[in-house]
Amino acid sequence: MNVSFWKIFKGDRVIWAVLILLSLLSLLIVYSATGALAYRVASGKTWIYLVRHMGFLVAGFGVMLLMVNVLPVKIYSMAANLMLYFSIALLVLAVGLKFTHIIPGSGRTLPLGPLSFQPAEVAKISLIMYAAKVLGKKQKTKRDLFLAFRGIIIPAGIVCFLISLSDFSTSALLFAAIMTMMFIGRIPLKYMFLVVVAGIGFVALMYFGASIMDEPPARIATIKGRIDRFIHGDPNSSHGITQADYAKLAIYSGGFFGKGPGQSDVSNFMAAAYNDFIFAIIVEEYGLFIGIGVIFLYLIFFFRGVTIVRRANRTFPAFLVVGLTMILVYQAMINIGVSSGTLPVTGQPLPWVSYGGTALLFTAISFGCILSVSYQNQVDHEAVDQPVMIKAPDEDYEIEKSE
């Protein structure tokens, strides 16, 4: 293939390789895991979901290539505030539509013609960009660090609260990423400790409040139910196998080497085999070794993110990569933990692997930001290392002088 074609894949080549490997695995496992869905909804036409998923993967790569080749990193800092306000408006709109029953659903999505998207996906990226901008500007004095903490925690509380009304796990995931950014940004631990205590108190209030209320709000009841099922076991198990039980069965039946591509039995009985529990289906079909390989790919991505942060010459790009890397890694950990039964059941897809639509494009934006910072690092270091040729006076030769 023409070498010039590969030049458009700018930025960290290792991350590009990880994305390509995850994409190939994603196509294989989504084609297999959507079989039951195809028979229920599309008259057995499994290729429909494969083509759709492939289309979103290709579009995602297009988004990343556009970002890394066209958009400068500084534009994300310039747009951070506006994006934050826009995402809050979208979240308020989604919550309003939910409680006014204008459109049916849980309030997680907003219709966009033939497609729909989750405002929480916009809010995740926007809040991380905003936090990176604030942390990047206020690092010199203790007063700056306090102002940075105050400037981040208020909008973070608003965004996470609005998200929690329809998706508590995504809210907690985003908040954990913001806390990680503040920790790395040298925000005093006493401030962060107060936030952690307040967060634990908030969850405890919802849990015990749901026990006292005769008819607690549906979202609070769901949170309490998930905690109870994780601690005491799912009472529905006595009436039949639950989704979590199916996931454990898939991992157990897969063994070390798996049943083979397309040979999953458990996916025929799981409603979220191609999304929230996709890691279990990977292990069932390809075995524990491939499952460990998937975990290893996310670890490689994590360490490459750390490398990009260390090489960054500017504070905003460094904090931006910290936030986006951690939220993607946390999301992968939650999906794997839920599939293996080590975490309470919650709905988090496996980044860049689970079947998805517009959510996959927002994941591509996150990867695109990380790759853009990586490419900017390369440009900055090449500019520093590039010798400048100056001509000596009254001489016919040139002298190399490093900047």
Side-chain angles (χ1 to χ4, degrees), residues 263-279:
Q263 301 302 313
S264 171
D265 296 316
V266 175
S267 62
N268 296 322
F269 304 96
M270 296 180 69
Y274 48 85
N275 199 338
D276 299 342
F277 292 98
I278 198 168
F279 181 77

Side-chain angles (χ1 to χ4, degrees), residues 92-104:
V92 171
L93 177 60
V95 171
L97 292 175
K98 172 187 176 181
F99 287 105
T100 55
H101 305 290
I102 295 177
I103 57 174

Side-chain angles (χ1 to χ4, degrees), residues 130 134 138 141-153 187 191:
Y130 174 80
V134 173
K138 299 187 180 298
T141 65
K142 291 183 178 180
R143 176 66 177 172
D144 280 345
L145 293 176
F146 170 74
L147 292 175
F149 170 76
R150 189 180 66 181
I152 292 172
I153 202 64
I187 297 298
Y191 299 149

